[in-house]
């Protein structure tokens, strides 16, 4: 099968090449998917570059000495079930599915194998490209706001990085949970963020949300570029800070966006009654099922900045790691 293959750490397009590899086989509990579309996420360029450096030590199952353990990048897919492994009863060949392959990767290819527990039926009102943009970003927003922060009707929620992949879902999900949503983004994205359900939009090129003297019940930081002090100053005394975000490449780093998450863990007890919650997501079908319900009801819609053919995966990853992309970038495979 055709795939985008990487053998060593480095930048796109130097280390991402179109190649022919063996088609994977579905093992027990697995599903073989004919990939129609795959989304690009910040995790892809972090693994591609081996950045931040500390991740090579912290996650040896993902990061090898000279290159990633898995040579094929990508985790979000949408496609059609080709075959199922022993013990799989939820899916049959021909089913349209979407899902998150997790850190194992392998989405930038014509076929991919995924655990059946990380797949769900594709939303019926989405194209494959639209569906592929949902799993990781949508699940991160849903898990963070609904499950970790426990957002309730009437609460105030600030999304820092509201125009990005996770941010566009977070604005919509927070609004669906009944919150009064404030989005933070650049000038060019103000109208888009407002159209997604933000009651108030702050243009960070003109206004610093941390210097306004306002306080929110929940602050979802998706940039990793503000200090904990800045974020906590914008929280109510018992507010919740969600810490996530992949950022853009800035020449290599020791800790990168992990730094603020590590500090959050260290200071969590001392910060009480404020809650500092670093966010890590495990792919689960239940998130995808909930997202499908929201999408089919018209409550949530994916936003795609640009689609690329599979062969142009290097250009897509380069765009994501070097610029503040607007919502999602998606590869079309067939």
């Amino acid at each position: 099968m055709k795939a985008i293959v990487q053998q060593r750490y480095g930048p796109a397009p130097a280390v991402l090449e179109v190649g022919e590899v063996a088609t994977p086989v579905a093992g027990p509990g697995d599903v073989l998917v004919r990939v129609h579309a795959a989304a690009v996420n910040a995790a892809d360029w972090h693994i591609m570059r081996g950045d931040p450096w500390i991740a090579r030590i912290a996650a040896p199952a993902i990061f090898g000495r000279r290159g990633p353990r898995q040579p094929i990048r990508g985790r979000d897919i949408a496609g059609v079930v080709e075959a199922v492994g022993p013990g799989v009863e939820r899916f049959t060949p021909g089913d349209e599915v979407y899902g998150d392959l997790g850190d194992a990767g392998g989405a930038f290819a014509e076929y991919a194998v995924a655990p059946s527990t990380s797949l769900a039926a594709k939303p019926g009102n989405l194209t494959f490209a639209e569906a592929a943009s949902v799993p990781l970003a949508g699940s991160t927003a849903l898990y963070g706001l609904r499950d970790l922060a426990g957002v309730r009707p009437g609460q105030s929620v600030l999304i820092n990085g509201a125009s990005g992949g996770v941010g566009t879902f977070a604005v919509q999900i927070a609004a669906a949970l009944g919150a009064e949503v404030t989005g933070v983004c650049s000038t060019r994205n103000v109208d888009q963020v407002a159209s997604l359900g933000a009651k108030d939009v702050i243009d960070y090129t003109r206004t610093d949300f941390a210097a306004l003297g306002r306080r929110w019940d929940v602050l979802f930081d998706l940039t990793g570029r503000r200090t904990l002090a800045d974020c906590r100053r914008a929280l109510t005394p018992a507010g919740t800070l969600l810490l996530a975000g992949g950022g853009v490449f800035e020449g290599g780093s020791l800790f990168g966006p992990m730094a603020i998450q590590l500090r959050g863990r260290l200071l969590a007890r001392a910060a009480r009654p404020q809650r500092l919650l670093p966010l890590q997501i495990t792919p689960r079908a239940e998130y995808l099922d909930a997202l499908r319900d929201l999408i089919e009801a018209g409550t949530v819609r994916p936003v795609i900045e640009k689609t690329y053919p599979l062969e142009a995966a290097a250009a897509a990853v380069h765009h994501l790691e070097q610029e503040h992309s607007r919502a999602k970038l998606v590869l079309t495979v067939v």
Side-chain angles (χ1 to χ4, degrees):
M1 69 172 184
K2 185 186 297 181
I4 306 301
V5 182
Q6 173 186 5
Q7 301 298 341
R8 67 187 191 282
Y9 292 127
V15 300
L16 297 181
E17 301 176 341
V18 180
E20 289 289 332
V21 300
T23 301
V25 177
D30 290 338
V31 176
L32 176 65
V33 178
R34 176 72 165 98
V35 180
H36 283 243
V40 181
N41 293 289
D44 299 318
W45 75 256
H46 279 290
I47 296 173
M48 178 188 74
R49 286 185 176 271
D51 180 77
W53 186 87
I54 195 67
R56 304 188 194 188
I57 298 174
I62 303 170
F63 296 89
R65 183 178 178 184
R66 293 187 172 87
R69 301 289 186 189
Q70 159 65 276
I72 303 173
R73 302 278 60 72
R75 50 187 291 171
D76 283 346
I77 61 169
V80 176
V81 174
E82 184 80 7
V84 298
V88 175
E89 298 180 354
R90 297 178 59 233
F91 302 106
T92 58
D95 289 346
E96 295 185 349
V97 296
Y98 76 139
D100 179 354
L101 306 182
D103 292 326
F108 296 174
E110 292 180 316
Y111 293 90
V113 167
S116 63
T117 54
S118 64
L119 296 174
K122 180 180 79 68
N125 58 341
L126 296 186
T127 66
F128 284 110
E130 290 170 332
S133 73
V134 175
L136 177 58
S139 295
T140 299
L142 181 71
Y143 171 65
L145 293 166
R146 184 194 67 178
D147 299 349
L148 280 185
V151 171
R152 304 183 302 277
Q155 286 191 311
S156 57
V157 175
L158 182 138
I159 312 295
N160 185 30
S163 63
V166 178
T168 52
F169 286 105
V171 169
Q172 297 176 82
I173 290 170
L177 293 171
E180 292 289 319
V181 183
T182 299
V184 180
C185 62
S186 63
T187 307
R188 68 170 183 151
N189 296 317
V190 168
D191 290 342
Q192 174 185 277
V193 171
S195 74
L196 295 175
K199 298 296 184 182
D200 185 22
V201 184
I202 297 172
D203 179 351
Y204 71 77
T205 68
R206 301 177 180 178
T207 305
D208 180 0
F209 73 83
L212 288 174
R214 295 174 58 184
R215 289 177 175 252
W216 287 266
D217 296 307
V218 177
L219 195 161
F220 201 166
D221 179 40
L222 294 162
T223 70
R225 305 181 77 174
R226 300 306 301 257
T227 67
L228 280 179
D230 285 344
C231 293
R232 291 187 61 199
R233 190 162 58 248
L235 277 181
T236 58
T240 298
L241 173 60
L242 296 172
L243 297 167
V248 295
F249 181 68
E250 297 179 332
S253 63
L254 178 59
F255 289 100
M258 293 175 62
I260 190 171
Q261 297 187 37
L262 292 170
R263 286 194 290 269
R265 292 184 188 278
L266 292 172
L267 294 175
R269 181 169 295 183
R272 294 174 182 171
Q274 289 182 335
R275 295 192 299 162
L276 311 184
L277 304 176
L279 197 160
Q280 291 183 317
I281 186 75
T282 299
R284 292 181 183 174
E286 65 185 85
Y287 302 142
L288 300 172
D289 290 335
L291 288 164
R292 185 182 62 249
D293 291 343
L294 290 169
I295 290 166
E296 291 184 340
T299 305
V300 170
R301 61 180 174 88
V303 181
I304 296 175
E305 177 184 0
K306 188 175 181 179
T307 60
Y308 298 76
L310 176 64
E311 294 81 0
V317 175
H318 179 75
H319 176 70
L320 183 64
E321 68 162 341
Q322 298 294 336
E323 304 178 33
H324 291 284
S325 65
R326 191 177 191 179
K328 296 295 295 183
L329 305 177
V330 177
L331 307 179
T332 54
V333 182
V334 294

